[in-house]
Amino acid sequence: MEKKTPIRTASSRIGLGLVRVVRNAAAFSIFLALTGLLINRSLPIPSIPTVQAKLERIKEAPDKYNTLFIGSSRIYRQIAPHLFDQLAADRGLATISFNAGVDGMRAPEDGFFFDQILKLHPKGLRWIFVELNELRLPVNRRQRGSSRAVYWHDWPRMVLLFREALAARKSTSPSGIYRELQLPIGDFREHLGLFVQNMSNLGESAPLMEALFHPHRRRIYRAPLGAEEDGFLEVPNWHGMSPQTRVIYERALEGRLRNQRVTPSDFGSAPSQDALWGMIDKIEALGATPILLIAPTTAPKNFAPKPRNGRSPLVFDFSNLDEYADLYEEQYRMDGEHLNTAGAEIFTRHICARFAQLAKP
């Protein structure tokens, strides 16, 4: 008996066509994602002047330094390693330090940056100072549209940011949850776009071509390393606070003097603590000692490490207005968040004095 071939209707042919289109699109998307991930892992990070300069300097002699300072502009422009080393030597301590601070660097970017340092396999590190900062969910508006906003968005950082977005939820009703998460989820959506851009290497054809055809030719930016090339950058052309900045600073300082001479500590969110303790664990795995820094600011509260498994890391807190009154004198300030170059020298001296008590033979 002759076997009949089933007759396919127009609708069935259209359905099969759609299935093929979806299947092929999915396969192509997976191929692109895996290819992008492979390229992303093999490429150096984009040419971001300060970030690259700091990593290149460490890469030149990864075993040279035994002391690192990591953080934002409150580290980058406020701790002078050449002075720190001189003061340490006067106290019988041998340190070779480097300022790895970068303007605007907060969690979780600082964790990614530290991971890049670890990839250089430094073997001589004994002390690593880390500025205490909570996770920052909103994208830095000054970095939008730049490689700086993109380069650190990897899977571990995205997990932390997603958890941070959900940490805002306190309500139990659907409408309350929607209101509370609307803004943080919007911020996370922006990070998701940056993550896709980073993983797909969009706009990074130049680094790819350079890595393929000129692997030894990398632009090295020396200016961000400062006059002593130790990573400290002085504040240029400072002529005092503007009238508006002075008013803001004096009001904030007056409020601190009246209500909070010692700034209260805040543990922040669970993801912020996890990001911090992730860095602490990696530092200790190197055989180094983590020292957490709270810079002298007029902030109403300070992010602090929450003890974990019976462990409490060392914290150098310079927010006490009585103990460190000189750091709050207007002649040494840029504003409520930053010291000028003269203030940076005093700050470096205070840090070394605390450090000497810890590290003295």
Side-chain angles (χ1 to χ4, degrees), residues 10 14 16 27 48 68 97 101 115 121 212 222 289 291 298-299 303 313 320 333-334 353 358:
I14 292 173
L16 288 172
I48 302 166
L68 283 184
S97 60
D115 285 349
H121 306 292
L212 289 175
R222 292 296 183 190
T289 299
I291 303 174
T298 55
F303 176 58
N320 189 311
R333 308 290 308 193
M334 287 283 292
L358 164 72

Side-chain angles (χ1 to χ4, degrees), residues 141-161:
R141 57 184 178 83
R142 295 180 179 178
Q143 297 174 8
R144 284 193 172 102
S146 69
S147 296
R148 173 73 187 277
V150 175
Y151 84 104
W152 54 268
H153 283 80
D154 62 357
W155 280 109
R157 263 42 72 168
M158 289 303 295
V159 170
L160 285 169
L161 289 168

Side-chain angles (χ1 to χ4, degrees), residues 63 80 126 135 137 159 166 276 349:
D63 302 331
R126 294 184 60 192
L135 284 174
L137 189 57
V159 170
L166 295 183
L276 173 61
R349 290 181 180 277

Side-chain angles (χ1 to χ4, degrees), residues 33-59:
L34 292 176
T35 303
L37 182 60
L38 180 62
I39 293 173
N40 182 274
R41 287 181 176 272
S42 60
L43 275 177
I45 65 172
S47 298
I48 302 166
T50 305
V51 171
Q52 184 187 342
K54 299 291 178 94
L55 292 176
E56 291 287 353
R57 171 43 63 92
I58 296 173
K59 183 179 180 180

Side-chain angles (χ1 to χ4, degrees), residues 113-132:
F113 180 76
F114 183 59
D115 285 349
Q116 306 316 299
I117 293 176
L118 294 180
K119 289 180 180 179
L120 302 176
H121 306 292
K123 295 183 176 62
L125 291 174
R126 294 184 60 192
W127 299 283
I128 300 179
F129 292 78
V130 178
E131 182 188 10
L132 278 165

